[in-house]
Amino acid sequence: MLDSGLTLTNGEALLDEVFDQAYAESIAAEGATEGKSTDSMLFKQVPVTGNTYTTQQFQPGGYFAQKAENQPVPQATSRTGNSISTVINEFSQEQLISRTFMDDDRTRFGVTQLMIRKMAKRARVTSDRYMFGLLRGAFGTTDTNDGVDWGSNAHVRLDGGAVDNLETGVLTPTNLETGITSLLQQPSQDGVRESKMPKLLVVPIALLREAYEITDSVLRPGTAQNEINYVSKAWPGLEIRFSAFVGAAESGTDTQWHLLGEDNSARRLIRESLWTRLIDWGTSATNQYSYKAGYRESRKVESYEQSLHSSGTV
């Protein structure tokens, strides 16, 4: 009996090799400033178990108190609050490949390879689009655990104080300085000002040029007096991230911009990493292989802390 030599095992190995390579390339190939869901500076990568994950806000113990000699050590009062459970989502896709096409195409592996490479890249950008929804919706659909928008002038701390991490100014050197100042003075849940440095400036593609001119120029952009650029001088470690998934093309805006500290609370909740599976054509009424891929993850922002968001509308 004649046989083509293509088996379920070697067919799956061939497709997985193409898929894995394309997925890895799609993460590394783009410019270093393009934001991705796998970027741990943007989104904390949190492995989870179960189909839900609970987050809560935490109030530390406040400033240290002065203590007199032979007096008891002042006791800190810490607490948690605003507990929220997040359901983990599943993302998946199936590609059907006819038995005869798979067998005939395997020597040159042309169309099949293209199909699987595109599928791998769709898996990656789907995760990017989903995670950047946190920033895209910072002024309306992304709520922190205190029940208001991530970017809001109505945050209530666990100690009862108020916090405003919302700006409206367009991205200019002056407005960016205002945002940095606000972030540095932002109190934590216990009212302590930690003076956390901004680490990331996140913008839509439409603001990428302005972001670089403001943060990377030696002299202040837009002036004729050769003034020193305060931002690039004082904050040389401020990095830029851009994404198509915060802009107007994805129902965001082309004017918004965001400042994030390294300990911001945007989280990518990873329940199951990317998997693939090839199902044999013998199980199909139409003699087609089924190549499937998927993963399980969700997203959450629990607190306003170390974030500032500007709609860029004024």
Side-chain angles (χ1 to χ4, degrees):
M1 175 176 168
L2 296 177
D3 189 273
S4 67
L6 182 66
T7 67
L8 183 65
T9 300
N10 64 31
E12 185 170 41
L14 286 169
L15 295 181
D16 282 350
E17 181 179 0
V18 173
F19 189 99
D20 293 345
Q21 181 179 359
Y23 188 84
E25 288 174 355
S26 69
I27 293 176
E30 287 85 355
T33 62
E34 183 177 9
K36 305 177 182 68
S37 66
T38 52
D39 188 337
S40 59
M41 285 188 67
L42 270 169
F43 311 112
K44 300 298 181 289
Q45 310 290 303
V46 182
V48 303
T49 58
N51 65 345
T52 62
Y53 182 79
T54 301
T55 59
Q56 51 193 352
Q57 295 180 331
F58 173 67
Q59 176 190 323
Y63 292 107
F64 274 43
Q66 185 173 336
K67 184 186 89 67
E69 188 174 358
N70 298 325
Q71 293 298 310
V73 175
Q75 192 172 50
T77 301
S78 301
R79 72 185 187 94
T80 59
N82 296 330
S83 179
I84 297 287
S85 291
T86 301
V87 176
I88 305 301
N89 300 308
E90 181 175 10
F91 299 84
S92 57
Q93 189 175 98
E94 176 186 32
Q95 287 282 359
L96 298 178
I97 311 169
S98 78
R99 181 191 70 82
T100 53
F101 182 81
M102 179 82 160
D103 187 47
D104 294 342
D105 188 54
R106 68 188 179 91
T107 54
R108 60 190 184 278
F109 218 43
V111 176
T112 304
Q113 182 180 34
L114 178 62
M115 180 190 303
I116 300 305
R117 286 182 63 84
K118 291 292 187 182
M119 185 182 184
K121 292 182 177 181
R122 297 301 181 269
R124 197 269 296 169
V125 297
T126 297
S127 181
D128 292 347
R129 184 175 186 266
Y130 175 67
M131 288 305 304
F132 271 94
L134 291 175
L135 290 155
R136 188 170 61 244
F139 313 101
T141 58
T142 301
D143 287 350
T144 56
N145 287 28
D146 58 1
V148 298
D149 298 340
W150 192 9
S152 172
N153 59 11
H155 289 287
V156 178
R157 306 194 308 256
L158 289 178
D159 70 351
V163 173
D164 179 359
N165 71 336
L166 174 65
E167 297 287 341
T168 58
V170 299
L171 184 59
T172 64
T174 298
N175 287 337
L176 182 58
E177 292 170 25
T178 299
I180 291 174
T181 300
S182 178
L183 189 61
L184 285 168
Q185 295 179 340
Q186 184 184 90
S188 299
Q189 293 286 350
D190 57 353
V192 171
R193 302 186 196 280
E194 298 181 348
S195 297
K196 285 292 187 179
M197 307 299 181
K199 293 295 184 180
L200 295 177
L201 171 61
V202 186
V203 297
I205 294 175
L207 291 181
L208 186 58
R209 178 176 63 84
E210 289 85 349
Y212 267 111
E213 288 178 350
I214 294 170
T215 63
D216 208 33
S217 301
V218 175
L219 302 179
R220 187 171 180 175
T223 66
Q225 287 77 35
N226 291 331
E227 300 175 33
I228 293 295
N229 185 350
Y230 162 78
V231 173
S232 64
K233 187 74 172 177
W235 316 111
L238 182 61
E239 298 183 18
I240 295 171
R241 295 291 190 274
F242 74 89
S243 175
F245 298 120
V246 296
E250 286 287 333
S251 300
T253 69
D254 286 338
T255 59
Q256 65 180 277
W257 53 274
H258 311 265
L259 282 171
L260 301 176
E262 62 182 344
D263 292 327
N264 77 83
S265 66
R267 304 182 187 279
R268 181 185 178 216
L269 309 174
I270 306 169
R271 175 61 181 89
E272 186 177 15
S273 299
L274 188 65
W275 56 265
T276 59
R277 180 66 55 85
L278 180 66
I279 309 300
D280 189 58
W281 61 269
T283 64
S284 166
T286 54
N287 293 344
Q288 295 188 90
Y289 286 100
S290 168
Y291 190 73
K292 299 179 180 181
Y295 55 91
R296 286 192 286 167
E297 66 180 39
S298 197
R299 62 192 182 189
K300 188 67 181 84
V301 176
E302 65 199 48
S303 177
Y304 64 84
E305 291 165 288
Q306 295 194 37
S307 73
L308 181 131
H309 311 271
S310 178
S311 61
T313 54
V314 178

